[in-house]
Amino acid sequence: MIPIADKYSTFARFYDAMSGEYPVYRAGRKIGINMLRQRPGAQVLDVGCGTGLNFSLLQGQVTPGGTIIGIDRSPEMLVQARRRAERNGWTNIILIQADATAVSPTDIGSRIAAEGGRAQSDAVLATYALSLMKDWEAAWTTMVSLAAPGASLCVVDMQKPVGLATVLTPLAKTACWLGGSDIDAHPWTAAERDCADVLAASARGGHLQIRAGTRRAGT
Ligand SMILES: C[S@@+](CC[C@H](N)C(=O)[O-])C[C@H]1O[C@@H](n2cnc3c(N)ncnc32)[C@H](O)[C@@H]1O
């Protein structure tokens, strides 16, 4: 069994094809990114960015003049993200290798600044990433610190389906198990707890949960 830490590195090249993006997971990222409501020129930080599946949707909001920063623990996933940027001719993407649960926001902020970005972003999101971090609360604290006051914060993640869709629970559990996610982690509850003006949505029979809000002053 490949440890979770290495899983994404081992399968980075196949992630896009294996991730169930179009039938299932794209729906959640689309809703979450719409909720960010960013404008051209904005800087967005994508925590656990993986191969950069959020980037084209984010470009739709921040271009022209904006910046996308992707942080991921896996160098191999970042190679795929860099290839995506090169393929599309995107020159406004900064990629940083870091463990979001262990790095200090000051360190990340200065690494972003060294690459020409601002230490704090106008929006910070994590899609399908927090539920596979054991200490996702630490990553959430980092996300909040790297959001400018009044910035948008968004979490898109997974739970067991609800209602009629509970018949799909074994499928959802298998997908999370394969990806190393804890289907019972429910990391969007941190956004409900810590943000103002929280927007909530779900998709795919409740399997995808989306929360977005703004960073409260003084947090
Ligand atoms: C399921 S993928 C999701 C990737 C992308 N956000 C998406 O929506 O397709 C989870 C990503 O989180 C990254 N990751 C896991 N633990 C991490 C951590 N502690 N710090 C930073 N990235 C992490 C993995 O390397 C992987 O690229």
Side-chain angles (χ1 to χ4, degrees):
M1 181 82 174
I2 300 169
I4 294 166
D6 301 327
K7 206 172 251 181
Y8 287 92
S9 295
T10 308
F11 295 111
R13 276 188 303 140
F14 310 107
Y15 175 78
D16 290 2
M18 289 167 49
S19 65
E21 173 69 0
Y22 280 92
V24 184
Y25 295 105
R26 191 160 182 85
R29 71 176 83 252
K30 272 177 103 169
I31 296 169
I33 290 170
N34 276 338
M35 285 178 175
L36 292 178
R37 285 195 235 115
Q38 295 301 295
R39 295 182 180 283
Q43 176 177 296
V44 180
L45 173 63
D46 186 353
V47 173
C49 67
T51 63
L53 284 172
N54 289 328
F55 293 173
S56 63
L57 294 166
L58 291 172
Q59 292 287 17
Q61 293 190 8
V62 307
T63 306
T67 306
I68 297 168
I69 295 151
I71 295 179
D72 204 282
R73 181 177 61 183
S74 159
E76 289 80 4
M77 291 295 266
L78 289 174
V79 165
Q80 300 305 316
R82 190 161 292 111
R83 285 200 183 136
R84 183 187 304 281
E86 285 166 5
R87 257 197 330 269
N88 287 282
W90 295 327
T91 54
N92 61 339
I93 298 196
I94 297 170
L95 298 172
I96 293 176
Q97 196 258 319
D99 180 340
T101 65
V103 76
S104 88
T106 316
D107 177 33
I108 287 284
S110 46
R111 286 167 71 184
I112 294 170
E115 300 274 351
R118 283 175 282 116
Q120 288 187 311
S121 292
D122 303 302
V124 181
L125 83 156
T127 60
Y128 314 117
L130 294 184
S131 63
L132 58 81
M133 301 179 195
K134 253 202 175 79
D135 190 3
W136 61 262
E137 281 278 9
W140 170 253
T141 302
T142 301
M143 288 173 66
V144 174
S145 305
L146 292 169
S152 299
L153 284 148
C154 175
V155 176
V156 179
D157 227 301
M158 300 160 285
Q159 67 169 14
K160 290 178 196 137
V162 294
L164 289 177
T166 46
V167 293
L168 298 172
T169 299
L171 210 58
K173 277 174 135 176
T174 306
C176 288
W177 177 78
L178 284 172
S181 302
D182 175 0
I183 201 167
D184 295 315
H186 298 184
W188 55 87
T189 52
E192 292 169 343
R193 182 191 64 207
D194 296 340
C195 290
D197 306 319
V198 176
L199 300 171
S202 66
R204 299 293 184 262
H207 177 46
L208 310 183
Q209 292 293 317
I210 305 110
R211 301 292 184 278
T214 53
R215 181 179 172 177
R216 286 182 209 274
T219 57

